[in-house]
Amino acid sequence: MDKWDRRFMELAGVIANWASCYKANRKIGAVIVKNKRIVTTGYNGAPAGIKTCVERGECLREKLGIASGTRAELCYAVHAEQNAIIQAARLGSSIDGATLYCTHQPCVLCAKMIVNSGIQRVVFKEGYPDEFAVEMLKEGGVSLEHFEE
């Protein structure tokens, strides 16, 4: 990993602090970079106009007893990676060939979006219990790299 990877991972960590997830250990940040330029950022949180878990005072997944790494659709939040990709689409910014820096390894839902968006490289810091996502990224030709300081 080089100094640019370090810088963009640091930024992903800062952006993670903006997340509206009720659980402190699930604040996720993402940065999409192309040619050493930031294209978009994202963090996990409820869609625009929808109450966040913080505003609700509870985590729906916790309330329903859903294990980490499963049933990602049962959550008010949109994932950080998804929000960064969606933001690129809204702004009309190409992310084909880009690198996505993320505080956590993407889940399989995000992995599918990453493959289809044309992102070629994902750098993550923390692991996530989703081996299917790893397989999906590999088969889709996306380089998955664990960032270690």
Side-chain angles (χ1 to χ4, degrees):
M1 301 286 165
D2 65 13
K3 70 178 181 180
W4 289 102
D5 289 331
R6 189 171 295 105
R7 289 175 179 173
F8 293 128
M9 283 303 301
E10 285 176 7
L11 182 56
V14 168
I15 291 165
N17 290 319
W18 304 345
S20 61
C21 187
Y22 192 72
K23 295 160 83 172
N25 67 337
R26 281 294 175 233
K27 293 188 181 292
I28 316 294
V31 180
I32 297 177
V33 174
K34 193 170 179 179
N35 300 319
K36 297 183 184 171
R37 301 283 183 248
I38 297 165
V39 180
T40 61
T41 63
Y43 54 89
N44 56 326
I50 306 295
K51 282 186 182 179
T52 68
C53 293
V54 171
E55 292 168 329
R56 294 170 190 276
E58 67 181 7
C59 171
L60 177 64
R61 295 178 58 77
E62 211 169 69
K63 180 179 171 182
L64 298 174
I66 299 168
S68 184
T70 64
R71 304 295 313 267
E73 73 280 6
L74 291 176
C75 179
Y76 291 110
V78 176
H79 291 185
E81 305 94 320
Q82 294 168 344
N83 272 324
I85 292 168
I86 291 164
Q87 200 58 243
R90 287 188 67 158
L91 296 172
S93 300
S94 172
I95 53 175
D96 191 40
T99 295
L100 184 143
Y101 294 87
C102 196
T103 56
H104 292 67
Q105 176 203 306
C107 72
V108 71
L109 298 176
C110 291
K112 292 174 187 179
M113 289 181 70
I114 290 165
V115 169
N116 273 358
S117 72
I119 290 171
Q120 291 183 337
R121 180 176 176 239
V122 173
V123 180
F124 71 96
K125 191 171 184 179
E126 302 291 330
Y128 186 71
D130 192 339
E131 283 302 313
F132 189 43
V134 174
E135 292 173 28
M136 189 69 62
L137 290 167
K138 184 178 179 180
E139 188 173 338
V142 177
S143 170
L144 182 64
E145 301 173 27
H146 185 212
F147 179 82
E148 297 183 47
E149 297 182 66

